[in-house]
Amino acid sequence: MFDKSEYIIELSKLAKGSGADNTYEIKVDKSLFDNFIEQGSAESEDIIDVRADVKLNTVKGSHLIEFNFVFNGEIDVRCSRCLAPMTVKIKNKKTSLYIKLGEKFEEADINQWIVDANENEIDLSNYIYEELRVEIPIAPVHKRIENCDEEMLDKLSHVNEESLKDKQEIDPRWEQLKKLL
């Protein structure tokens, strides 16, 4: 079950300065992805499971808060070639998000947000979802074809052969028209 509170950081509780202990650990599972699919802000995907750890360190200044993320984990997806499960590993992916305190919320850049100075908390669930989602290839495939499901590859090969046979058999009437050219 998705718990949004795990992704919310209270800005007022952050200590100022780079030496301050503003560290967090967030465990991410498939419920984060399911939440965005249910909301309609993401398409239904072939994501089987998610196991990721996000370490977050913040540095708070007077008008800027820097969030430094380190992502580690695994995302289980379906191979685009054979539809068998496969794992996408994420190792020490580092990103930063900069929060400027201003008048209203706006996303100035993908990694820079302007947040109302009176805002007490920030929801990082969307940012974490997007950073993990980017790690999944558009068409994930096993690195080695030997890891693919042989039975499925055989079926696909058979379907491709049948498709080629259909294309090679041309209606004789069309052959007569080709002679006119």
Side-chain angles (χ1 to χ4, degrees), residues 8-12 115-116 118-124:
I8 294 177
I9 304 294
E10 292 188 44
L11 300 176
S12 61
V115 175
D116 187 341
N118 297 323
E119 191 68 38
N120 187 35
E121 56 187 35
I122 188 162
D123 179 6
L124 297 173

Side-chain angles (χ1 to χ4, degrees), residues 27-162:
K27 298 270 186 205
V28 180
D29 59 19
K30 189 171 184 293
S31 66
L32 176 66
F33 283 73
D34 291 341
N35 176 62
F36 283 96
I37 291 169
E38 287 170 12
Q39 289 179 1
S41 55
E43 294 179 17
S44 179
E45 302 175 26
D46 287 336
I47 295 174
I48 300 167
D49 199 11
V50 178
R51 297 168 306 282
D53 294 317
V54 180
K55 291 184 181 177
L56 170 63
N57 182 33
T58 63
V59 178
K60 184 177 182 181
S62 56
H63 297 292
L64 180 73
I65 304 170
E66 181 180 354
F67 289 83
N68 297 306
F69 297 86
V70 178
F71 294 85
N72 285 293
E74 298 177 339
I75 301 174
D76 295 334
V77 296
R78 299 222 175 266
C79 174
S80 293
R81 184 173 29 217
C82 70
L83 301 178
M86 63 172 281
T87 302
V88 175
K89 295 186 185 277
I90 303 166
K91 272 191 158 179
N92 291 323
K93 176 187 177 181
K94 296 177 182 177
T95 64
S96 294
L97 173 65
Y98 300 93
I99 306 295
K100 287 185 178 180
L101 302 176
E103 293 182 17
K104 62 179 182 170
F105 178 82
E106 67 179 88
E107 202 169 309
D109 185 327
I110 195 163
N111 291 333
Q112 183 180 25
W113 297 352
I114 298 173
V115 175
D116 187 341
N118 297 323
E119 191 68 38
N120 187 35
E121 56 187 35
I122 188 162
D123 179 6
L124 297 173
S125 61
N126 189 55
Y127 183 82
I128 291 171
Y129 167 78
E130 292 293 337
E131 289 297 325
L132 289 172
R133 180 64 189 99
V134 160
E135 292 300 307
I136 302 170
I138 292 171
V141 293
H142 288 101
K143 288 183 181 179
R144 302 174 72 190
I145 198 162
E146 297 87 36
N147 295 341
C148 282
D149 182 354
E150 276 188 51
E151 185 179 337
M152 182 59 80
L153 291 177
D154 288 342
K155 287 180 182 178
L156 289 172
S157 176
H158 179 71
V159 168
N160 284 340
E161 287 173 10
E162 291 295 319

